[in-house]
């Protein structure tokens, strides 16, 4: 049905029917493409973390339909693992009704659908972060660690993902974006500094931060197990390199007084 005919309540009811989640979704996007591939998609961002998100199967929650005929649940080929929290449906006009797993893995149509679904999901997250920052914080606390996997797994989306990540910071309590960090950088500061550790409390007393604190430089606290791997994938943001405060050869510019 056209988006204009569907109410928010109907979208929320459909989401609950699809996922058996008792809570309404945080956000959703409904789209239709015409061109080389014709398909309709409806994807939702859950509020709560599904219990089966990180089991051995690592299910992905998008159902595939072909010409409105149900084909399969949890179609892995439509979403990368770092978007496995997304729930929704995709209905393709171009795939055959007898489509198999093997065909899905080697299908240009499926690759085009996946690319579009990834783009629409990242656009939805960007919109949520700008329009409803509190809802985005809720999302990030549930799924941020999973989203960060994409920094190393898919370099093509590194820039968009870099704008979406949030970290704890030495500057203030709560989460901050890399864009906000860059906007607060001290004059002469060359890099975005971060430090890995188990918790904010453990990192605040780290002797590695003394030289940075002395200069008034903000430091990001990376406390998720995935962070070390993900930060290597990101490497820079807005032209500013990400540099670990734990590096033995950390180079800091000296002020005239220090020289």
């Amino acid at each position: 049905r056209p988006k204009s005919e569907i109410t928010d309540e109907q979208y929320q009811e459909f989401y609950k029917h699809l996922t058996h989640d008792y809570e309404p979704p945080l956000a959703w996007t409904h789209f239709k493409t015409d061109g080389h591939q014709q398909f309709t998609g409806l994807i939702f961002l859950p509020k709560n973390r599904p219990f089966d998100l990180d089991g051995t199967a690592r299910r992905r929650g998008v159902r595939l339909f072909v010409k409105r005929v149900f084909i399969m649940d949890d179609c892995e080929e439509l979403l990368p693992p770092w978007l496995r929290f997304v729930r929704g449906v995709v209905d393709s006009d171009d795939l055959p009704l007898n489509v198999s797993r093997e065909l899905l893995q080697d299908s240009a149509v499926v690759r085009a659908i996946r690319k579009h679904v990834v783009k629409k999901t990242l656009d939805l997250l960007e919109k949520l972060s700008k329009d409803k920052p509190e809802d985005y914080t809720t999302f990030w606390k549930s799924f941020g660690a999973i989203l960060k996997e994409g920094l190393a797994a898919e370099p093509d989306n590194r820039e968009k993902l870099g704008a979406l990540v949030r970290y704890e910071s030495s500057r203030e309590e709560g989460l901050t974006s890399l864009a906000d960090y860059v906007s607060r950088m001290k004059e002469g500061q060359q890099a975005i500094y971060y430090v890995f550790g188990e918790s904010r409390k453990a990192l605040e007393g780290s002797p590695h931060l003394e030289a940075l604190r002395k200069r008034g430089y903000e430091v990001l606290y990376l406390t998720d197990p995935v962070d070390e791997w993900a930060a290597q994938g990101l490497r820079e943001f807005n032209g500013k390199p990400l540099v670990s405060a734990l590096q033995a050869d950390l180079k800091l510019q000296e002020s005239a007084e220090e020289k």
Side-chain angles (χ1 to χ4, degrees):
R1 290 165 56 191
K3 287 190 283 188
S4 57
E5 292 181 8
I6 307 172
T7 65
D8 285 357
E9 289 73 23
Q10 287 172 320
Y11 277 120
Q12 291 170 0
E13 204 55 47
F14 181 71
Y15 168 79
K16 289 179 180 179
H17 165 76
L18 187 71
T19 64
H20 309 297
D21 191 350
Y22 60 90
E23 287 262 25
L26 276 176
W28 60 86
T29 183
H30 185 182
F31 52 91
K32 188 169 186 173
T33 65
D34 292 307
H36 293 305
Q37 279 87 33
Q38 292 190 319
F39 68 94
T40 303
L42 175 53
I43 56 178
F44 297 92
L45 298 178
K47 188 180 288 185
N48 300 311
R49 189 181 173 102
F51 69 90
D52 57 354
L53 205 56
D54 282 314
T56 49
R58 296 179 85 179
R59 295 174 58 204
R60 281 163 247 180
V62 173
R63 286 186 187 179
L64 175 63
F65 290 74
V66 173
K67 299 180 180 71
R68 301 187 190 185
V69 175
F70 173 68
I71 303 298
M72 67 180 71
D73 269 322
D74 308 317
C75 185
E76 290 180 17
E77 290 73 21
L78 295 180
L79 276 180
W82 53 273
L83 288 179
R84 59 187 177 275
F85 50 82
V86 169
R87 297 291 178 260
V89 295
V90 165
D91 182 22
S92 169
D93 287 348
D94 298 312
L95 289 166
L97 282 170
N98 63 345
V99 65
S100 64
R101 285 276 183 199
E102 290 72 27
L103 183 64
L104 285 173
Q105 288 167 357
D106 193 34
S107 165
V109 174
V110 172
R111 285 195 293 273
I113 293 173
R114 171 184 160 127
K115 189 174 181 181
H116 203 81
V117 171
V118 169
K119 181 185 183 302
K120 286 290 183 182
T121 304
L122 293 178
D123 289 347
L124 179 61
L125 287 167
E126 186 181 350
K127 187 173 189 304
L128 185 67
S129 70
K130 288 176 179 170
D131 297 349
K132 297 181 178 177
E134 286 183 11
D135 282 355
Y136 188 75
T137 299
T138 299
F139 159 80
W140 185 260
K141 286 178 178 174
S142 293
F143 305 111
I146 295 171
L147 189 67
K148 281 186 282 193
E149 292 173 15
L151 289 168
E154 285 198 25
D156 290 351
N157 288 301
R158 188 187 296 146
E159 201 172 313
K160 278 197 166 188
L161 286 167
L164 292 170
V165 296
R166 300 291 184 268
Y167 296 112
E168 295 266 350
S169 158
S170 61
R171 169 118 180 173
E172 56 200 25
E173 291 291 326
L175 297 166
T176 191
S177 68
L178 291 176
D180 286 343
Y181 179 105
V182 170
S183 72
R184 297 192 292 258
M185 281 172 66
K186 303 271 287 184
E187 192 176 341
Q189 184 177 341
Q190 302 296 318
I192 297 168
Y193 295 106
Y194 64 85
V195 62
F196 296 118
E198 287 183 11
S199 67
R200 180 189 182 109
K201 190 175 179 183
L203 289 171
E204 283 178 330
S206 170
H208 290 98
L209 307 189
E210 284 177 17
L212 294 167
R213 277 208 199 94
K214 198 173 162 186
R215 288 165 173 76
Y217 291 171
E218 184 175 357
V219 182
L220 298 173
Y221 298 139
L222 278 56
T223 55
D224 280 326
V226 72
D227 276 330
E228 191 163 1
W229 178 60
Q232 288 169 2
L234 181 56
R235 292 204 297 271
E236 65 170 32
F237 180 77
N238 279 5
K240 304 289 184 186
L242 270 72
V243 174
S244 169
L246 305 180
Q247 284 183 8
D249 59 344
L250 185 63
K251 295 180 178 68
L252 298 173
Q253 286 192 324
E254 291 181 309
S255 66
E257 291 83 0
E258 284 172 323
K259 284 179 182 174

